[in-house]
Amino acid sequence: MSPTLDLTLTDDPHQQNDVFTEAFNSGDGSIFDQLYRSDAISNLTGVTLTGEERTRAITEFLSTKPKLTATVLQTYRTSDTMLLIVDFSVETVGADGEPERLDGTCTDVLVRDGNGQWIMAIDRPVMKTPAV
């Protein structure tokens, strides 16, 4: 974990992507969870979760030290809501103990909190179907 990890999200979607990637790759679920509203929805673990269940699932998943790379494809913004479309790849270990790569596209909705800071409201990664 980096002692200088800056979790500040600005109006720059590429900077936001960098912050999410660094927090994810820290392997510390409590750090990554700070980027979410308490009532945020996420299906990062394959099941749509919110609240304490989301926090617990994310923390357990990140404890396995997966590595994320992500590229912002599109952004749409109103005054206090931002939609990010992001291609991602996660290097992890499968249920069989073998290395596994998960590729997909994520739809993220961020909103400004009461302090004017951006924070995750919806995190919806969708895995690409492997070619048969």
Side-chain angles (χ1 to χ4, degrees), residues 100-119:
E100 182 176 34
R101 180 175 163 158
L102 308 171
D103 295 316
T105 301
C106 195
T107 306
D108 293 331
V109 176
L110 292 94
V111 296
R112 288 194 190 268
D113 67 10
N115 298 319
Q117 298 294 314
W118 290 102
I119 192 160

Side-chain angles (χ1 to χ4, degrees), residues 3-132:
T4 60
L5 187 61
D6 181 359
L7 300 180
T8 305
L9 297 177
T10 69
D11 288 337
D12 180 347
H14 297 284
Q15 183 270 345
Q16 292 175 2
N17 187 55
D18 292 346
V19 169
F20 276 89
T21 300
E22 188 172 353
F24 185 100
N25 290 338
S26 76
D28 187 331
S30 65
I31 288 175
F32 190 70
D33 198 55
Q34 291 177 48
L35 300 172
Y36 288 79
R37 290 171 44 118
S38 60
D39 64 347
I41 299 167
S42 176
N43 71 329
L44 177 67
T45 60
V47 177
T48 302
L49 300 172
T50 190
E52 290 180 26
E53 288 180 316
R54 183 202 70 248
T55 298
R56 185 174 36 259
I58 287 173
T59 300
E60 287 174 12
F61 179 66
L62 293 185
S63 72
T64 66
K65 305 290 187 197
K67 292 300 173 202
L68 170 70
T69 56
T71 303
V72 175
L73 300 177
Q74 297 175 359
T75 63
Y76 303 92
R77 181 176 169 228
T78 66
S79 60
D80 62 354
T81 306
M82 188 179 306
L83 171 66
L84 299 177
I85 310 297
V86 179
D87 264 354
F88 69 90
S89 181
V90 175
E91 299 290 334
T92 189
V93 176
D96 60 2
E98 294 296 316
E100 182 176 34
R101 180 175 163 158
L102 308 171
D103 295 316
T105 301
C106 195
T107 306
D108 293 331
V109 176
L110 292 94
V111 296
R112 288 194 190 268
D113 67 10
N115 298 319
Q117 298 294 314
W118 290 102
I119 192 160
M120 182 73 74
I122 301 171
D123 179 21
R124 186 177 176 272
V126 175
M127 302 304 162
K128 292 180 182 172
T129 305
V132 188

